[in-house]
Amino acid sequence: MNNVRTVSDTKRTFYNLHTRPINTIYRRVVEELMVEMHLLSVNIDFSYNPIYALGVVTTFDRFMEGYQPERDRESIFNALCQAIEQDPQRYRQDAERLRSVAKGLPVQDLIAWLSQTNNLDRDADLQGQLQAIANNPNFKYNRLFAIGVFSLLELADPELVKDEKRLTEALKAIAAGLHLSDDKFSKDLELYRSNLDKMAQALVVMADMLSADRKKREQRKQQSTTQVAPPASNE
């Protein structure tokens, strides 16, 4: 009998690999991403693809931006991938491949490629992967895949993703070409962008709290080093 790994197994492996404590505000982000990746990894219909990898890398990099100490970020990312028995370098390399493609294409060509109305000659492997997604009736759509698609659009034309009408049209075309639900696309990306805003606000609050705490410590230090004059004696 094949024993399917549990969420607890994955978490245990992660914390055995990354042994340093994770700052409180980021711990929830890391654990939510870990659980999401775990549940996909044990789903019979899920198969790894570069767009999913880009979604994972983008989500991690965006939400972990500003993490201190900075050197721990790579350790956390590597442990996340290894905890679900995946190669972190594969994720990073596939994400970079796709980023290069997106940066080198006019956005309309990128949309045509993603929606399968036009082939992309420069990368046969990526072309084949997209065709496999479009032709797979059991393709396991997921939020991280949607974020990968959004990231490609953002890299090709940062203004497009700020224009709700153009973004909606692009997502509808891509969803139709890949035989996916454009409603799920839109809802997942709306939540992703909302969470990015909340994270940014939380980081501002945290920075303010740290600054106020630092000022208090400095004031206490100054007070403790200030010499108090002895009281005058009455003669």
Side-chain angles (χ1 to χ4, degrees), residues 43-56:
N43 187 294
I44 195 168
D45 290 325
F46 173 76
S47 58
Y48 172 95
N49 63 79
I51 296 176
Y52 162 78
L54 177 61
V56 170

Side-chain angles (χ1 to χ4, degrees), residues 2-235:
N2 185 23
N3 291 324
V4 177
R5 285 169 60 81
T6 66
V7 171
S8 297
D9 292 333
T10 294
K11 285 188 176 181
R12 192 179 308 111
T13 303
F14 173 85
Y15 287 110
N16 284 336
L17 291 165
H18 180 79
T19 55
R20 287 171 57 81
I22 297 176
N23 293 352
T24 308
I25 197 166
Y26 295 95
R27 192 180 304 127
R28 183 176 172 189
V29 169
V30 171
E31 294 212 344
E32 284 182 357
L33 183 56
M34 191 192 314
V35 170
E36 189 170 4
M37 291 171 71
H38 167 87
L39 292 175
L40 286 169
S41 73
V42 298
N43 187 294
I44 195 168
D45 290 325
F46 173 76
S47 58
Y48 172 95
N49 63 79
I51 296 176
Y52 162 78
L54 177 61
V56 170
V57 170
T58 301
T59 300
F60 182 85
D61 288 349
R62 285 279 179 90
F63 283 98
M64 297 297 283
E65 199 172 324
Y67 186 86
Q68 296 295 329
E70 192 174 338
R71 66 179 181 276
D72 279 8
R73 276 196 296 178
E74 187 179 356
S75 169
I76 294 169
F77 180 79
N78 290 347
L80 263 178
C81 297
Q82 289 165 350
I84 58 161
E85 301 178 339
Q86 292 288 314
D87 177 7
Q89 289 309 309
R90 183 188 187 194
Y91 279 69
R92 288 281 183 198
Q93 287 164 5
D94 280 346
E96 200 48 51
R97 270 172 68 207
L98 277 174
R99 283 171 175 159
S100 297
V101 168
K103 287 174 185 174
L105 278 179
V107 73
Q108 289 310 318
D109 289 354
L110 177 70
I111 293 167
W113 172 58
L114 289 171
S115 61
Q116 293 292 280
T117 55
N118 191 21
N119 285 352
L120 183 71
D121 296 330
R122 69 180 68 185
D123 198 317
D125 175 54
L126 290 175
Q127 183 66 50
Q129 297 242 14
L130 270 181
Q131 286 172 345
I133 290 168
N135 296 330
N136 181 2
N138 295 319
F139 172 72
K140 179 62 180 172
Y141 166 83
N142 57 85
R143 184 185 73 99
L144 293 164
F145 179 86
I147 293 169
V149 169
F150 179 84
S151 301
L152 290 171
L153 295 172
E154 189 175 33
L155 286 163
D157 184 356
E159 295 307 310
L160 181 143
V161 297
K162 296 175 187 173
D163 184 327
E164 291 301 325
K165 184 172 181 292
R166 289 177 67 205
L167 177 60
T168 300
E169 287 172 356
L171 292 175
K172 279 188 175 177
I174 294 165
L178 296 178
H179 305 130
L180 304 172
S181 164
D182 64 277
D183 187 47
K184 284 183 181 176
F185 253 135
S186 298
K187 285 179 179 174
D188 281 341
L189 292 176
E190 191 177 326
L191 181 61
Y192 166 67
R193 292 153 83 193
S194 168
N195 287 340
L196 276 177
D197 289 341
K198 286 176 185 173
M199 187 66 174
Q201 291 164 11
L203 290 174
V204 169
V205 170
M206 186 172 75
D208 289 345
M209 287 169 64
L210 289 172
S211 176
D213 186 53
R214 191 162 52 247
K215 283 179 184 173
K216 282 180 185 175
R217 285 202 308 271
E218 286 169 358
Q219 286 171 353
R220 284 198 296 269
K221 190 178 177 183
Q222 284 176 349
Q223 287 168 359
S224 65
T225 56
T226 303
Q227 297 215 351
V228 179
S233 58
N234 295 320
E235 292 185 7

